[in-house]
Amino acid sequence: MSSGRGRRFSPVKFGIFFVLILLLGLVCWTILRKTAEEPAEFLAPVITIRPRRGRIEKTISLSGQVETGRLLTLVSRVSGTLLSLDAEPGMPVTKDQVVAQVDSAPYDLTYLQARTAFLTAQSTWQRISALYASKAVTRQRYEEARTAYESSKAQYELAQLNRDYTLIRSPLDGVVLIRHSTQGGLVNAGTPLLTLGDLEDLRIRASVPELHYHFFAEHWEDIPVRLRVPALGDEEFLPAPLSLAPYVSPETRSFLVEYTIPGAADRGLRPGMFVKVLFVLESREGVYYLPVRALGSQNRLWYVDEVRRAQYREYIPDFFNEDFFRIPEEWGSDEFILEGQHFITPGQRLTILRETLTDPPEGGGVSGP
């Protein structure tokens, strides 16, 4: 019978056991090493901005077209052949200047006939009046003579008026804007001939939403207004207040304000031009401001602290327009997050992709609906 003491030690089994122990130790070491390592911190990419110091305005932006305070269309008051039409668009005219003439020959003849009848009736009435004063004729004969005289006088004055109407005169100092008829053509009473306008009395009318009526009723003469004309390269004009409508239109829910534009014709402004009208309701000078999109959700204004980490302040702007809002004076040197603030947490380290400045329109933080 053999004994266990006689068993021989197997090197192969020992080798396998050693390899298993080594692999187990390596796995444990790897797990422990990964646990001990700190995870890599994510650096959030953001775009930052520095506040701009200047003016921020609350405005209303509307559109309109240039008009002239005196705009009228000359029409013929009599029928006939248009002998002359001495006016072209752009030509200046003066008050009482003859700008057109209708053939007056028929009206001259009618005038002569009426004048002859009038002079005859006048002589008869004067003679009958003298006889009636001496009671040489009856009252009926006197009334008949007076009636004939008054009727002939009316016919004479009408004939004289129609003859005068053959000469069409300008009722104002202005400029010919439109020529409607052609020399040599037939015209009737009421046929348009020319449209005249006064370029020295250019105006703009704007329809303002009724929401602002109370404010305009109290301040409209003091509200700064700027006009910009795209056709003139956005040249700016400063109008003067003229009138405020005393009612609100129920159809458009708006009211009209009217302004004159002094000296505008010399700078190329003309009736009919499209203009942009900017009403400055309120403004603040010398303040720091940021774009509205820098303000995150829940009124959080995110900024970069001294160690380049994200932080925020809860802030409700006290003065703003559609594009910009004012910030406190003490925040003027801070660096704020313009883009990327919706995906970061307080204290998170940042990667600043680009730093920019506000880029407001000319004149400061100007905006309007």
Side-chain angles (χ1 to χ4, degrees):
M1 177 181 258
S2 63
S3 171
R5 294 179 180 177
R7 291 180 182 175
R8 299 178 63 182
F9 178 76
S10 173
V12 176
K13 292 181 179 181
F14 178 78
I16 293 174
F17 178 77
F18 179 77
V19 170
L20 291 175
I21 293 296
L22 185 62
L23 290 175
L24 179 63
L26 182 62
V27 170
C28 292
W29 179 79
T30 302
I31 293 174
L32 292 175
R33 184 172 178 269
K34 287 185 177 180
T35 303
E37 287 181 352
E38 288 189 5
E41 184 176 7
F42 174 69
L43 302 182
V46 296
I47 295 176
T48 62
I49 190 172
R50 299 278 182 176
R52 173 70 62 88
R53 188 182 185 93
R55 181 176 76 252
I56 182 172
E57 299 176 343
K58 287 184 178 180
T59 64
I60 303 175
S61 181
L62 303 172
S63 60
Q65 67 179 28
V66 179
E67 302 176 2
T68 177
R70 292 190 294 173
L71 178 71
L72 54 89
T73 297
L74 293 181
V75 299
S76 176
R77 297 187 179 184
V78 293
S79 301
T81 302
L82 190 62
L83 294 182
S84 66
L85 187 59
D86 299 327
E88 297 294 338
M91 188 183 85
V93 294
T94 58
K95 186 176 181 180
D96 295 328
Q97 175 183 339
V98 176
V99 294
Q101 182 177 5
V102 176
D103 184 10
S104 64
Y107 300 99
D108 290 338
L109 293 175
T110 302
Y111 168 76
L112 292 176
Q113 291 175 346
R115 184 174 182 273
T116 300
F118 165 70
L119 293 176
T120 301
Q122 183 182 47
S123 176
T124 301
W125 183 69
Q126 289 173 347
R127 180 172 54 83
I128 295 298
S129 295
L131 293 174
Y132 178 73
S134 62
K135 300 188 183 299
V137 295
T138 64
R139 174 78 179 182
Q140 180 180 357
R141 183 75 180 91
Y142 171 78
E143 292 295 341
E144 290 175 351
R146 188 179 69 173
T147 300
Y149 163 73
E150 291 177 349
S151 176
S152 63
K153 181 182 179 182
Q155 293 295 325
Y156 169 63
E157 291 177 347
L158 178 60
Q160 186 177 30
L161 193 62
N162 284 334
R163 188 183 68 165
D164 292 341
Y165 281 160
T166 61
L167 296 178
I168 295 92
R169 302 176 184 272
S170 171
L172 52 80
D173 295 332
V175 173
V176 177
L177 300 180
I178 305 174
R179 175 173 171 157
H180 300 282
S181 299
T182 303
Q183 181 176 325
L186 291 175
V187 295
N188 297 315
T191 299
L193 302 177
L194 300 170
T195 296
L196 307 179
D198 183 3
L199 297 186
E200 300 303 320
D201 187 16
L202 296 182
R203 305 179 181 186
I204 180 69
R205 290 193 299 173
S207 297
V208 183
E210 67 172 327
L211 173 67
H212 304 285
Y213 190 84
H214 180 70
F215 183 84
F216 271 73
E218 294 183 353
H219 307 289
W220 80 276
E221 291 184 311
D222 303 319
I223 296 175
V225 182
R226 296 194 292 267
L227 303 180
R228 288 185 177 173
V229 186
L232 300 179
D234 275 342
E235 185 172 355
E236 189 171 287
F237 295 81
L238 300 178
L242 182 63
S243 66
L244 170 69
Y247 68 95
V248 174
S249 170
E251 292 83 12
T252 62
R253 311 312 310 172
S254 62
F255 59 94
L256 289 176
V257 288
E258 190 171 10
Y259 294 81
T260 60
I261 317 173
D266 297 336
R267 297 167 59 188
L269 198 64
R270 291 294 182 268
M273 281 188 172
F274 173 80
V275 296
K276 300 175 183 177
V277 190
L278 191 73
F279 299 92
V280 182
L281 305 183
E282 292 184 73
S283 64
R284 298 290 186 274
E285 297 282 351
V287 299
Y288 285 104
Y289 58 87
L290 291 170
V292 169
R293 59 195 180 103
L295 192 62
S297 60
Q298 300 179 344
N299 295 316
R300 291 182 176 183
L301 187 58
W302 291 85
Y303 65 97
V304 181
D305 64 15
E306 60 277 2
V307 293
R308 314 303 283 175
R309 293 182 180 271
Q311 305 294 345
Y312 72 87
R313 304 181 179 104
E314 292 186 357
Y315 180 62
I316 299 177
D318 60 347
F319 189 83
F320 57 89
N321 56 36
E322 285 199 344
D323 296 322
F324 303 96
F325 64 93
R326 180 174 65 177
I327 63 173
E329 188 81 12
E330 58 270 22
W331 297 354
S333 60
D334 290 346
E335 184 178 4
F336 294 90
I337 298 175
L338 180 64
E339 296 182 13
Q341 68 269 45
H342 304 289
F343 307 100
I344 57 178
T345 58
Q348 186 173 358
R349 292 182 62 190
L350 304 171
T351 296
I352 298 177
L353 301 180
R354 177 167 53 90
E355 182 178 354
T356 185
L357 295 175
T358 57
D359 188 19
E362 182 181 353
V366 180
S367 177

